[in-house]
Amino acid sequence: MCVSRCLRCVGVSLVPMAIVCILCNILLLVPELKIQFLLDGHVTREATWATGLWGSGFLVLLGARAFVQSSRTRGCCAFRSQMLCQLLYSCLCLLSAASCSLVSATGLSQGPLCLYNDSSGPTWGVPLQPLPGRHSGYLFNRTLWYGVCLEPSSVVQWNLVLFSVMGTVSGLQTVLCGANILNSILGLILGRGLSHSKISPVSV
């Protein structure tokens, strides 16, 4: 029964995390809550990849649903076949969550796409990305958070918070899915667990 309980706990835990990633990615696509930036193509590249939607979002939700359903499976053979399916689901969820975490870290380090003053005038670009000889990045230099990006307003803080949350949550999803891979392997080997194995008393 230990394997089943672990499956259910992982499945239930992944649901709110997936919802958080979906919401974060949606908000990243609409800075200032204005869809016009998305329609004009003025949204940070890593946000448009939408790994929080399809990766740590919908794919992880599908995996979480399968984990919860498999925890109710009865029968030794049926349970082991379900564990094989859950092993594949866990690998898929791990890869999708890890990709979201990696993309979030990249978007966080590169900085947002915004309108800024260049030598030729206002232009759209990524002025805060680390460049040799100019600056090592904006994450630890708060003076670059204000005044560099003209539009969308406060886009630096917007991306900083949302990418940080999405990256952290997807990282937790990766850890849980990795643990579930081990749990599924144990389920394949041991079945539902040893809780039903009882030693019958010897009559004297």
Side-chain angles (χ1 to χ4, degrees):
M1 296 300 290
C2 179
V3 173
S4 298
R5 283 196 295 269
C6 290
L7 269 175
R8 183 172 181 80
C9 288
V10 170
V12 171
S13 301
L14 286 175
V15 172
M17 294 183 185
I19 293 173
V20 168
C21 288
I22 290 172
L23 292 176
C24 285
N25 208 143
I26 290 174
L27 290 174
L28 282 167
L29 291 172
V30 285
E32 291 186 25
L33 298 180
K34 296 179 180 177
I35 198 172
Q36 192 60 42
F37 292 112
L38 177 61
L39 297 177
D40 293 339
H42 295 151
V43 175
T44 305
R45 179 188 60 181
E46 289 77 12
T48 60
W49 291 348
T51 52
L53 290 175
W54 61 263
S56 286
F58 294 121
L59 285 179
V60 170
L61 279 177
L62 288 175
R65 179 175 177 270
F67 299 155
V68 173
Q69 287 182 337
S70 291
S71 67
R72 303 168 183 161
T73 303
R74 298 290 183 266
C76 180
C77 293
F79 185 79
R80 280 190 164 88
S81 64
Q82 281 294 326
M83 286 302 99
L84 182 58
C85 292
Q86 298 325 304
L87 181 60
L88 298 177
Y89 270 119
S90 298
C91 292
L92 176 63
C93 290
L94 184 144
L95 291 175
S96 57
S99 66
C100 180
S101 183
L102 180 62
V103 169
S104 298
T106 304
L108 192 62
S109 63
Q110 293 298 306
L113 174 72
C114 64
L115 183 68
Y116 70 102
N117 283 320
D118 196 8
S119 57
S120 58
T123 185
W124 287 91
V126 188
L128 299 178
Q129 62 182 337
L131 291 176
R134 192 174 72 176
H135 60 78
S136 58
Y138 71 103
L139 291 176
F140 303 105
N141 187 356
R142 297 191 65 172
T143 58
L144 297 174
W145 294 14
Y146 309 96
V148 176
C149 289
L150 305 177
E151 289 185 10
S153 61
S154 303
V155 69
V156 177
Q157 297 91 320
W158 184 269
N159 277 27
L160 185 66
V161 171
L162 294 174
F163 271 128
S164 296
V165 172
M166 192 165 69
T168 302
V169 172
S170 58
L172 290 174
Q173 287 178 330
T174 304
V175 172
L176 284 176
C177 292
N180 208 45
I181 290 175
L182 297 177
N183 184 54
S184 299
I185 293 173
L186 286 176
L188 278 171
I189 298 171
L190 302 176
R192 294 182 62 82
L194 302 176
S195 61
H196 294 296
S197 299
K198 296 181 180 179
I199 301 175
S200 56
V202 178
S203 58
V204 180

